[in-house]
């Protein structure tokens, strides 16, 4: 069974700025020097019950995209389509754990 999928693509600066303006930004920096160690830009999920996909953006160098930005879209296909993760067609636990006398 495939639990989650992640799709990565290049995006331009215009789309990066649009997504960034509506996202949650988590940053680590040194307060004395102002040096930024990392910046995570994403939209948070409601919880493991959520069928929403997580969207994260950043500088393209992470994926070796030259002079571009990236977008990562991650989530559970089964939760999106069916509303939950597990199905008997993928994991037949009842077959393996049923006692026969």
């Amino acid at each position: 069974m495939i639990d989650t999928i992640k799709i990565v693509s290049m995006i331009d600066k215009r789309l990066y700025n649009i997504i960034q303006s509506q996202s949650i930004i988590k940053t680590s920096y040194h307060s004395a020097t102002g040096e930024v160690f990392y910046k995570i830009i994403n939209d948070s999920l409601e919880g493991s019950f959520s069928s929403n996909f997580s969207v994260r953006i950043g500088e393209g160098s992470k994926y070796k995209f030259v002079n571009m930005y990236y977008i990562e879209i991650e989530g559970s296909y089964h939760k999106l389509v069916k509303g939950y993760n597990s199905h008997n067609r993928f994991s037949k636990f009842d077959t393996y754990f049923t006692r026969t006398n």
Side-chain angles (χ1 to χ4, degrees):
M1 176 176 102
I2 298 172
D3 183 38
T4 59
I5 59 170
K6 182 187 287 189
I7 301 168
V8 178
S9 182
M10 285 188 286
I11 59 174
D12 62 16
K13 187 171 184 165
R14 181 191 63 79
L15 185 54
Y16 172 87
N17 288 334
I18 291 170
I19 296 170
Q20 180 183 13
S21 70
Q22 298 180 26
S23 297
I24 297 168
I25 301 174
K26 299 173 186 173
T27 306
S28 173
Y29 64 94
H30 191 285
S31 62
T33 65
E35 178 185 5
V36 176
F37 299 117
Y38 66 83
K39 184 182 346 180
I40 299 172
I41 304 168
N42 69 349
D43 195 1
S44 63
L45 295 174
E46 298 168 21
S48 62
F49 60 87
S50 174
S51 63
N52 293 332
F53 277 58
S54 171
V55 176
R56 180 178 286 186
I57 59 173
E59 294 186 21
S61 58
K62 176 178 179 179
Y63 292 103
K64 297 184 170 75
F65 298 155
V66 178
N67 299 324
M68 294 294 286
Y69 297 88
Y70 72 85
I71 184 168
E72 293 176 354
I73 302 170
E74 183 174 7
S76 171
Y77 170 78
H78 294 106
K79 280 187 182 181
L80 178 67
V81 174
K82 299 288 186 182
Y84 52 91
N85 262 5
S86 59
H87 304 278
N88 275 342
R89 296 200 187 277
F90 298 106
S91 306
K92 295 188 177 194
F93 291 113
D94 54 342
T95 301
Y96 299 111
F97 296 107
T98 303
R99 288 186 178 185
T100 56
N101 293 336

